[in-house]
Short mmCIF file of all heavy atoms in Angstrom, two decimals:
data_model
loop_
_atom_site.label_atom_id
_atom_site.label_comp_id
_atom_site.label_asym_id
_atom_site.label_seq_id
_atom_site.Cartn_x
_atom_site.Cartn_y
_atom_site.Cartn_z
N GLY W 1 -3.70 13.93 12.60
CA GLY W 1 -3.60 15.13 11.78
C GLY W 1 -4.70 15.17 10.75
O GLY W 1 -5.46 14.22 10.58
N ARG W 2 -4.77 16.26 10.05
CA ARG W 2 -5.84 16.50 9.09
C ARG W 2 -5.30 16.54 7.68
O ARG W 2 -4.37 17.30 7.37
CB ARG W 2 -6.54 17.81 9.42
CG ARG W 2 -7.68 18.17 8.49
CD ARG W 2 -8.91 17.34 8.75
NE ARG W 2 -9.49 17.64 10.05
CZ ARG W 2 -10.63 17.10 10.51
NH1 ARG W 2 -11.28 16.22 9.79
NH2 ARG W 2 -11.09 17.44 11.71
N THR W 3 -5.89 15.74 6.82
CA THR W 3 -5.59 15.77 5.39
C THR W 3 -6.89 16.01 4.65
O THR W 3 -7.85 15.26 4.81
CB THR W 3 -4.95 14.47 4.92
OG1 THR W 3 -3.72 14.26 5.61
CG2 THR W 3 -4.67 14.53 3.43
N THR W 4 -6.93 17.05 3.86
CA THR W 4 -8.12 17.40 3.10
C THR W 4 -8.02 16.91 1.68
O THR W 4 -6.94 16.63 1.16
CB THR W 4 -8.35 18.92 3.11
OG1 THR W 4 -7.24 19.58 2.52
CG2 THR W 4 -8.53 19.43 4.54
N GLY W 5 -9.17 16.80 1.04
CA GLY W 5 -9.21 16.35 -0.33
C GLY W 5 -9.01 14.85 -0.44
O GLY W 5 -9.15 14.10 0.53
N ASN W 6 -8.67 14.40 -1.62
CA ASN W 6 -8.46 12.98 -1.86
C ASN W 6 -7.09 12.54 -1.37
O ASN W 6 -6.09 13.23 -1.59
CB ASN W 6 -8.59 12.70 -3.36
CG ASN W 6 -8.46 11.22 -3.67
OD1 ASN W 6 -9.27 10.42 -3.22
ND2 ASN W 6 -7.44 10.87 -4.45
N TYR W 7 -7.02 11.40 -0.71
CA TYR W 7 -5.74 10.87 -0.26
C TYR W 7 -5.79 9.36 -0.19
O TYR W 7 -6.86 8.75 -0.23
CB TYR W 7 -5.33 11.46 1.09
CG TYR W 7 -6.26 11.17 2.23
CD1 TYR W 7 -6.01 10.12 3.10
CD2 TYR W 7 -7.38 11.95 2.45
CE1 TYR W 7 -6.86 9.85 4.16
CE2 TYR W 7 -8.23 11.69 3.51
CZ TYR W 7 -7.97 10.64 4.36
OH TYR W 7 -8.81 10.38 5.42
N ALA W 8 -4.62 8.77 -0.10
CA ALA W 8 -4.48 7.32 -0.03
C ALA W 8 -3.48 6.95 1.04
O ALA W 8 -2.58 7.73 1.36
CB ALA W 8 -4.04 6.77 -1.38
N MET W 9 -3.62 5.75 1.57
CA MET W 9 -2.65 5.20 2.51
C MET W 9 -2.13 3.89 1.95
O MET W 9 -2.89 3.10 1.41
CB MET W 9 -3.27 4.99 3.89
CG MET W 9 -3.71 6.29 4.55
SD MET W 9 -4.29 6.09 6.26
CE MET W 9 -2.76 5.66 7.09
N GLY W 10 -0.83 3.70 2.10
CA GLY W 10 -0.21 2.52 1.53
C GLY W 10 0.85 1.92 2.42
O GLY W 10 1.24 2.49 3.44
N TRP W 11 1.29 0.73 2.01
CA TRP W 11 2.36 0.01 2.69
C TRP W 11 3.49 -0.25 1.71
O TRP W 11 3.26 -0.71 0.58
CB TRP W 11 1.87 -1.32 3.26
CG TRP W 11 0.90 -1.18 4.39
CD1 TRP W 11 -0.46 -1.16 4.33
CD2 TRP W 11 1.24 -1.06 5.77
NE1 TRP W 11 -0.99 -1.04 5.58
CE2 TRP W 11 0.02 -0.97 6.49
CE3 TRP W 11 2.44 -1.01 6.48
CZ2 TRP W 11 -0.02 -0.83 7.88
CZ3 TRP W 11 2.39 -0.88 7.85
CH2 TRP W 11 1.18 -0.79 8.54
N PHE W 12 4.70 0.03 2.15
CA PHE W 12 5.91 -0.30 1.43
C PHE W 12 6.77 -1.18 2.33
O PHE W 12 6.58 -1.21 3.54
CB PHE W 12 6.68 0.95 1.03
CG PHE W 12 5.97 1.81 0.02
CD1 PHE W 12 4.92 2.64 0.40
CD2 PHE W 12 6.34 1.79 -1.31
CE1 PHE W 12 4.26 3.43 -0.53
CE2 PHE W 12 5.68 2.58 -2.25
CZ PHE W 12 4.65 3.39 -1.86
N ARG W 13 7.74 -1.86 1.74
CA ARG W 13 8.65 -2.67 2.54
C ARG W 13 10.05 -2.60 1.98
O ARG W 13 10.25 -2.38 0.79
CB ARG W 13 8.17 -4.12 2.63
CG ARG W 13 8.18 -4.87 1.31
CD ARG W 13 7.54 -6.25 1.48
NE ARG W 13 7.57 -7.02 0.25
CZ ARG W 13 6.99 -8.20 0.10
NH1 ARG W 13 6.33 -8.75 1.11
NH2 ARG W 13 7.07 -8.82 -1.07
N GLN W 14 11.02 -2.81 2.85
CA GLN W 14 12.41 -2.79 2.44
C GLN W 14 13.18 -3.85 3.21
O GLN W 14 13.23 -3.82 4.44
CB GLN W 14 13.04 -1.43 2.67
CG GLN W 14 14.45 -1.31 2.11
CD GLN W 14 14.96 0.11 2.08
OE1 GLN W 14 14.51 0.96 2.85
NE2 GLN W 14 15.88 0.38 1.19
N ALA W 15 13.76 -4.78 2.48
CA ALA W 15 14.59 -5.82 3.06
C ALA W 15 16.05 -5.37 3.02
O ALA W 15 16.43 -4.53 2.20
CB ALA W 15 14.42 -7.13 2.29
N PRO W 16 16.89 -5.94 3.89
CA PRO W 16 18.31 -5.57 3.89
C PRO W 16 18.94 -5.79 2.52
O PRO W 16 18.79 -6.85 1.92
CB PRO W 16 18.92 -6.51 4.94
CG PRO W 16 17.79 -6.82 5.86
CD PRO W 16 16.58 -6.89 4.97
N GLY W 17 19.63 -4.78 2.03
CA GLY W 17 20.29 -4.87 0.74
C GLY W 17 19.38 -4.75 -0.46
O GLY W 17 19.84 -4.89 -1.60
N LYS W 18 18.11 -4.49 -0.23
CA LYS W 18 17.14 -4.37 -1.31
C LYS W 18 16.56 -2.96 -1.36
O LYS W 18 16.60 -2.22 -0.38
CB LYS W 18 16.00 -5.37 -1.13
CG LYS W 18 16.43 -6.82 -1.05
CD LYS W 18 16.94 -7.33 -2.38
CE LYS W 18 17.23 -8.82 -2.32
NZ LYS W 18 17.69 -9.34 -3.64
N GLU W 19 16.03 -2.62 -2.51
CA GLU W 19 15.34 -1.35 -2.65
C GLU W 19 13.96 -1.42 -2.02
O GLU W 19 13.35 -2.49 -1.92
CB GLU W 19 15.21 -0.96 -4.13
CG GLU W 19 16.53 -0.68 -4.82
CD GLU W 19 16.34 -0.18 -6.23
OE1 GLU W 19 15.19 -0.07 -6.69
OE2 GLU W 19 17.35 0.10 -6.88
N ARG W 20 13.47 -0.27 -1.60
CA ARG W 20 12.13 -0.21 -1.07
C ARG W 20 11.12 -0.53 -2.18
O ARG W 20 11.26 -0.05 -3.31
CB ARG W 20 11.87 1.18 -0.49
CG ARG W 20 10.51 1.33 0.17
CD ARG W 20 10.43 2.64 0.95
NE ARG W 20 10.73 3.78 0.12
CZ ARG W 20 11.00 5.00 0.58
NH1 ARG W 20 11.03 5.22 1.89
NH2 ARG W 20 11.26 5.99 -0.26
N GLU W 21 10.12 -1.32 -1.86
CA GLU W 21 9.14 -1.70 -2.85
C GLU W 21 7.72 -1.49 -2.34
O GLU W 21 7.43 -1.60 -1.15
CB GLU W 21 9.31 -3.17 -3.28
CG GLU W 21 9.00 -4.18 -2.19
CD GLU W 21 8.93 -5.61 -2.72
OE1 GLU W 21 8.71 -5.80 -3.93
OE2 GLU W 21 9.09 -6.54 -1.91
N PHE W 22 6.86 -1.22 -3.28
CA PHE W 22 5.44 -1.06 -3.00
C PHE W 22 4.82 -2.40 -2.63
O PHE W 22 5.15 -3.43 -3.23
CB PHE W 22 4.75 -0.48 -4.23
CG PHE W 22 3.25 -0.44 -4.13
CD1 PHE W 22 2.61 0.59 -3.46
CD2 PHE W 22 2.48 -1.42 -4.73
CE1 PHE W 22 1.23 0.64 -3.38
CE2 PHE W 22 1.11 -1.38 -4.66
CZ PHE W 22 0.48 -0.35 -3.98
N VAL W 23 3.92 -2.38 -1.66
CA VAL W 23 3.18 -3.58 -1.28
C VAL W 23 1.71 -3.44 -1.63
O VAL W 23 1.16 -4.23 -2.40
CB VAL W 23 3.34 -3.90 0.22
CG1 VAL W 23 2.53 -5.14 0.59
CG2 VAL W 23 4.81 -4.08 0.58
N THR W 24 1.06 -2.43 -1.06
CA THR W 24 -0.37 -2.24 -1.28
C THR W 24 -0.76 -0.83 -0.86
O THR W 24 -0.05 -0.18 -0.10
CB THR W 24 -1.19 -3.28 -0.48
OG1 THR W 24 -2.58 -3.11 -0.74
CG2 THR W 24 -0.93 -3.14 1.01
N ALA W 25 -1.90 -0.37 -1.35
CA ALA W 25 -2.42 0.94 -0.97
C ALA W 25 -3.93 0.95 -1.13
O ALA W 25 -4.50 0.13 -1.86
CB ALA W 25 -1.80 2.05 -1.81
N ILE W 26 -4.57 1.89 -0.45
CA ILE W 26 -6.02 2.00 -0.48
C ILE W 26 -6.42 3.47 -0.57
O ILE W 26 -5.84 4.32 0.11
CB ILE W 26 -6.66 1.32 0.75
CG1 ILE W 26 -8.18 1.30 0.64
CG2 ILE W 26 -6.21 1.99 2.05
CD1 ILE W 26 -8.84 0.38 1.66
N ASN W 27 -7.38 3.76 -1.42
CA ASN W 27 -7.95 5.11 -1.50
C ASN W 27 -8.92 5.31 -0.35
O ASN W 27 -9.80 4.47 -0.11
CB ASN W 27 -8.67 5.31 -2.82
CG ASN W 27 -7.75 5.38 -4.01
OD1 ASN W 27 -6.75 6.08 -3.97
ND2 ASN W 27 -8.08 4.66 -5.07
N TRP W 28 -8.78 6.43 0.34
CA TRP W 28 -9.66 6.68 1.47
C TRP W 28 -11.09 6.97 1.04
O TRP W 28 -12.04 6.68 1.76
CB TRP W 28 -9.11 7.83 2.31
CG TRP W 28 -9.35 7.61 3.76
CD1 TRP W 28 -10.22 8.27 4.58
CD2 TRP W 28 -8.69 6.64 4.60
NE1 TRP W 28 -10.15 7.78 5.86
CE2 TRP W 28 -9.22 6.78 5.90
CE3 TRP W 28 -7.71 5.68 4.36
CZ2 TRP W 28 -8.80 5.99 6.96
CZ3 TRP W 28 -7.29 4.89 5.42
CH2 TRP W 28 -7.84 5.04 6.70
N SER W 29 -11.26 7.55 -0.12
CA SER W 29 -12.58 7.97 -0.55
C SER W 29 -13.49 6.81 -0.93
O SER W 29 -14.66 6.77 -0.53
CB SER W 29 -12.47 8.94 -1.73
OG SER W 29 -11.80 8.33 -2.82
N ASP W 30 -12.97 5.86 -1.69
CA ASP W 30 -13.83 4.79 -2.20
C ASP W 30 -13.37 3.38 -1.83
O ASP W 30 -14.03 2.40 -2.20
CB ASP W 30 -13.97 4.89 -3.72
CG ASP W 30 -12.66 4.74 -4.46
OD1 ASP W 30 -11.63 4.44 -3.83
OD2 ASP W 30 -12.66 4.92 -5.70
N GLY W 31 -12.24 3.26 -1.15
CA GLY W 31 -11.76 1.95 -0.75
C GLY W 31 -11.07 1.16 -1.83
O GLY W 31 -10.74 -0.01 -1.61
N GLY W 32 -10.85 1.75 -2.99
CA GLY W 32 -10.15 1.07 -4.05
C GLY W 32 -8.73 0.72 -3.65
O GLY W 32 -8.08 1.48 -2.93
N THR W 33 -8.24 -0.43 -4.09
CA THR W 33 -6.96 -0.94 -3.64
C THR W 33 -6.02 -1.26 -4.79
O THR W 33 -6.44 -1.51 -5.92
CB THR W 33 -7.13 -2.21 -2.78
OG1 THR W 33 -7.80 -3.21 -3.55
CG2 THR W 33 -7.95 -1.91 -1.54
N LEU W 34 -4.73 -1.27 -4.47
CA LEU W 34 -3.67 -1.73 -5.35
C LEU W 34 -2.81 -2.72 -4.58
O LEU W 34 -2.57 -2.55 -3.39
CB LEU W 34 -2.79 -0.57 -5.83
CG LEU W 34 -3.42 0.52 -6.68
CD1 LEU W 34 -2.42 1.66 -6.87
CD2 LEU W 34 -3.85 -0.03 -8.03
N TYR W 35 -2.32 -3.75 -5.27
CA TYR W 35 -1.42 -4.73 -4.68
C TYR W 35 -0.29 -5.05 -5.63
O TYR W 35 -0.48 -5.10 -6.86
CB TYR W 35 -2.14 -6.05 -4.37
CG TYR W 35 -3.17 -5.98 -3.28
CD1 TYR W 35 -4.50 -5.73 -3.57
CD2 TYR W 35 -2.81 -6.20 -1.95
CE1 TYR W 35 -5.45 -5.68 -2.57
CE2 TYR W 35 -3.77 -6.16 -0.95
CZ TYR W 35 -5.09 -5.90 -1.26
OH TYR W 35 -6.03 -5.86 -0.26
N THR W 36 0.87 -5.29 -5.08
CA THR W 36 1.94 -5.84 -5.89
C THR W 36 1.67 -7.32 -6.12
O THR W 36 1.04 -7.98 -5.28
CB THR W 36 3.31 -5.62 -5.22
OG1 THR W 36 4.36 -5.90 -6.16
CG2 THR W 36 3.48 -6.51 -4.01
N ASP W 37 2.12 -7.85 -7.25
CA ASP W 37 1.75 -9.20 -7.64
C ASP W 37 2.16 -10.26 -6.61
O ASP W 37 1.45 -11.25 -6.42
CB ASP W 37 2.37 -9.55 -8.99
CG ASP W 37 1.70 -8.84 -10.15
OD1 ASP W 37 0.58 -8.32 -9.97
OD2 ASP W 37 2.30 -8.81 -11.24
N SER W 38 3.27 -10.06 -5.96
CA SER W 38 3.80 -11.08 -5.06
C SER W 38 2.96 -11.31 -3.81
O SER W 38 3.14 -12.32 -3.13
CB SER W 38 5.24 -10.75 -4.67
OG SER W 38 5.30 -9.55 -3.92
N VAL W 39 2.05 -10.39 -3.49
CA VAL W 39 1.25 -10.54 -2.28
C VAL W 39 -0.23 -10.76 -2.57
O VAL W 39 -1.00 -10.98 -1.63
CB VAL W 39 1.42 -9.34 -1.33
CG1 VAL W 39 2.89 -9.08 -1.05
CG2 VAL W 39 0.74 -8.09 -1.89
N LYS W 40 -0.62 -10.71 -3.82
CA LYS W 40 -2.03 -10.90 -4.16
C LYS W 40 -2.50 -12.28 -3.70
O LYS W 40 -1.84 -13.28 -3.92
CB LYS W 40 -2.25 -10.75 -5.66
CG LYS W 40 -2.12 -9.33 -6.15
CD LYS W 40 -2.35 -9.24 -7.66
CE LYS W 40 -2.24 -7.81 -8.15
NZ LYS W 40 -2.39 -7.71 -9.62
N GLY W 41 -3.65 -12.31 -3.05
CA GLY W 41 -4.19 -13.54 -2.53
C GLY W 41 -3.70 -13.90 -1.15
O GLY W 41 -4.24 -14.81 -0.52
N ARG W 42 -2.68 -13.21 -0.66
CA ARG W 42 -2.14 -13.48 0.67
C ARG W 42 -2.32 -12.30 1.62
O ARG W 42 -2.57 -12.49 2.81
CB ARG W 42 -0.65 -13.83 0.59
CG ARG W 42 -0.36 -15.07 -0.24
CD ARG W 42 1.10 -15.48 -0.12
NE ARG W 42 2.02 -14.45 -0.60
CZ ARG W 42 2.96 -13.87 0.14
NH1 ARG W 42 3.12 -14.23 1.41
NH2 ARG W 42 3.75 -12.95 -0.39
N PHE W 43 -2.17 -11.08 1.10
CA PHE W 43 -2.26 -9.87 1.91
C PHE W 43 -3.56 -9.15 1.59
O PHE W 43 -4.02 -9.15 0.45
CB PHE W 43 -1.11 -8.92 1.63
CG PHE W 43 0.25 -9.40 2.08
CD1 PHE W 43 0.46 -10.68 2.53
CD2 PHE W 43 1.32 -8.52 2.05
CE1 PHE W 43 1.71 -11.11 2.94
CE2 PHE W 43 2.58 -8.92 2.46
CZ PHE W 43 2.78 -10.22 2.91
N THR W 44 -4.13 -8.50 2.60
CA THR W 44 -5.33 -7.71 2.43
C THR W 44 -5.20 -6.39 3.17
O THR W 44 -4.90 -6.39 4.37
CB THR W 44 -6.58 -8.45 2.93
OG1 THR W 44 -6.72 -9.70 2.26
CG2 THR W 44 -7.83 -7.61 2.67
N ILE W 45 -5.41 -5.29 2.47
CA ILE W 45 -5.40 -3.99 3.11
C ILE W 45 -6.84 -3.56 3.38
O ILE W 45 -7.73 -3.82 2.57
CB ILE W 45 -4.67 -2.94 2.24
CG1 ILE W 45 -4.49 -1.63 3.02
CG2 ILE W 45 -5.39 -2.70 0.92
CD1 ILE W 45 -3.58 -0.62 2.33
#
């Protein structure tokens, strides 16, 4: 599909009995990233 303008893609996760939580995301325009603290150094988007 087509998305115009600025957008980002991210990953969330949800374990049984837990709330959904943010994992990581990346800006499509410049590649800038965000990570939750628990995955820094282990996960790469």
